[in-house]
Amino acid sequence: MSVNATEYERGWPAAVAPPTVARGRAKPLALASLVLVTAVWGGAFVVVKDATRQASPMDFLAVRFLIAAVVLGAWRPRRVLELSRKQWGHGLLLGLTLGAAYLAQTYGQQYTSASMSGFITGMSVVFTPVIAGLLLRHRIGRWTWGAVAIATVGLGAMSLRGFAIGPGEVLTLLCALFFALHIVALSEWSTPRDAYALTVVQLGVVGVLCLILGGRDGIVLPADPGFWISVIGLAVVATAGAYFAQTWAQSRLPAVVVAVALTLEPVFAGVFGVLVDHDELTARILLGGALVVGAMVLTEFRSTAPSSKDAPGSLG
């Protein structure tokens, strides 16, 4: 993570603030950005459910990500062209990993329940510290594992109604693994300077991948204006904006903190389900949501403690 810290310091002139002060101020903002991202994604569940009733999931994903890449890329195209060959390679790998996660999740959802899919996808919070420890030799402290365990129990309380292993569960487990790989790689490769361009490349790769796989039978999309309003809104806000915010935030936060923060997504999905779809608000949802929020607060508390704020791979 030293690369990220170096790039971060380059992005703050000495006349503005010392690097340590700037980094301290950036962490709460980065975490707040991730919370906002999870709220957007949680609210998007309702919109996505309606949109995929009118188009196949693959066609929907292809259009959503391609529109997002074009809209975001048109903002500052020169920044994308200025990426080095190595950075383009990072963007390509990040996009393929993210695309693989979405594909595994999409196909896995055909063979398992939505609640089970949500729980297993959230297991990326467990895979993330394991991958960071094995691949990057990051020290994983007991407070980190405690937060991971609390978040996992919270996800289970919200989602599980029984457990069985089948093709859907295996595919969704692969999805969680790919999401964890994406989180770790993004925290390692993303810098404040390159967050925008990396986001454009990632989204473009996912869109092209889905277009290739979905285009075998032809891309079929409805002419309903309501569908396109939903797709464009999802592309601009929940894809271009949200992934840019995530990429930027991950240049400033350890991967494990990011993984725990992202477990808030099903919490917000449950909130919007109650408010919009009139889902039942149960004690399990309240308990699970409280545990997930508590886990995120724990990671923030430990990551800002004087003894651990400068240890990127550890919270304890």
Side-chain angles (χ1 to χ4, degrees):
M1 296 293 221
S2 57
V3 174
N4 288 349
T6 303
E7 289 295 331
Y8 181 82
E9 292 172 13
R10 290 174 185 170
W12 282 91
V16 177
T20 53
V21 175
R23 188 183 300 114
R25 291 175 180 170
K27 281 184 177 181
L29 182 59
L31 191 61
S33 299
L34 284 178
V35 173
L36 179 60
V37 165
T38 61
V40 170
W41 284 343
F45 267 100
V46 178
V47 182
V48 169
K49 184 171 67 174
D50 292 337
T52 51
R53 289 171 180 165
Q54 302 180 64
S56 72
M58 201 60 60
D59 293 354
F60 165 75
L61 287 174
V63 173
R64 172 183 171 179
F65 276 89
L66 288 174
I67 291 176
V70 170
V71 169
L72 193 60
W75 179 29
R76 302 175 72 181
R78 288 185 59 184
R79 294 296 295 270
V80 181
L81 298 176
E82 290 171 355
L83 285 175
S84 67
R85 181 178 299 180
K86 182 178 181 180
Q87 291 166 325
W88 271 96
H90 288 166
L92 176 63
L93 289 174
L94 286 166
L96 289 174
T97 305
L98 184 61
Y102 270 99
L103 291 173
Q105 185 182 55
T106 299
Y107 286 110
Q109 285 176 333
Q110 299 179 21
Y111 305 102
T112 189
S113 66
S115 60
M116 181 64 72
S117 176
F119 170 73
I120 298 178
T121 299
M123 291 299 291
S124 60
V125 72
V126 177
F127 290 137
T128 298
V130 174
I131 293 171
L134 292 176
L135 298 185
L136 304 178
R137 305 299 183 186
H138 289 172
R139 184 173 65 88
I140 310 300
R142 62 184 183 278
W143 286 95
T144 299
W145 286 115
V148 167
I150 292 170
T152 304
V153 172
L155 288 170
M158 286 189 294
S159 307
L160 291 182
R161 300 292 186 276
F163 197 90
I165 297 295
E169 287 74 27
V170 173
L171 284 170
T172 310
L173 198 62
L174 284 175
C175 157
L177 179 61
F178 281 124
F179 272 133
L181 282 169
H182 180 261
I183 290 170
V184 172
L186 196 55
S187 286
E188 185 70 12
W189 291 335
S190 176
T191 69
R193 176 179 176 80
D194 302 325
Y196 164 77
L198 272 180
T199 305
V200 175
V201 176
Q202 288 180 78
L203 300 184
V205 170
V206 176
V208 170
L209 180 63
C210 293
L211 184 66
I212 292 172
L213 295 176
R216 292 178 300 176
D217 300 322
I219 302 296
V220 180
L221 299 168
D224 178 20
F227 171 83
W228 286 102
I229 290 173
S230 297
V231 169
I232 293 172
L234 287 168
V236 174
V237 179
T239 309
Y243 275 107
F244 177 39
Q246 182 189 357
T247 304
W248 174 85
Q250 288 205 231
S251 67
R252 292 162 164 83
L253 292 171
V256 180
V257 174
V258 173
V260 173
L262 292 181
T263 58
L264 286 172
E265 181 182 349
V267 177
F268 282 111
V271 170
F272 282 107
V274 172
L275 295 177
V276 179
D277 274 0
H278 307 292
D279 293 342
E280 182 182 0
L281 182 62
T282 64
R284 290 169 60 97
I285 292 177
L286 291 173
L287 173 62
L291 288 171
V292 170
V293 171
M296 195 203 71
V297 171
L298 177 61
T299 62
E300 169 61 6
F301 171 75
R302 292 301 301 175
S303 66
T304 56
S307 62
S308 61
K309 68 178 180 180
D310 293 324
S314 174
L315 298 176

